[in-house]
Amino acid sequence: LMSAIGATPPGPLPPVRECLLWSWGGQTAQAVGSKRSAVSTRRGLVLGLRDADGRLGLGEASPLPSLSPDGLEDCEGALR
């Protein structure tokens, strides 16, 4: 992944010991989107990867309905 964004790790990456996936969702304070499409409810996923030393890295996937090419279910399927 790091090479895909033009970065190089400082050394060998430690093996992943635990993979966690949480879902979240709720109402937004304001509608999110564009003039064509706006939503007032958001849903997403948080991915956690823990290494052998207990360090935790977090990432998220929260595609906007009708604006993102992938849906939340597609993201969840790819992460599982």
Side-chain angles (χ1 to χ4, degrees):
L1 174 65
M2 293 185 80
S3 62
I5 60 171
T8 55
L13 295 175
V16 172
R17 297 290 183 214
E18 185 178 19
C19 181
L20 307 160
L21 190 62
W22 300 278
S23 62
W24 61 269
Q27 294 291 113
T28 60
Q30 298 179 16
V32 178
S34 69
K35 289 181 183 180
R36 295 180 317 183
S37 174
V39 295
S40 58
T41 302
R42 292 297 313 274
R43 292 176 48 219
L45 301 166
V46 176
L47 173 68
L49 300 176
R50 189 179 314 274
D51 71 9
D53 294 330
R55 293 176 292 210
L56 179 65
L58 299 174
E60 62 87 27
S62 52
L64 283 168
S66 75
L67 294 176
S68 300
D70 301 309
L72 187 61
E73 292 76 19
D74 299 321
C75 294
E76 185 173 6
L79 291 171
R80 289 203 181 272

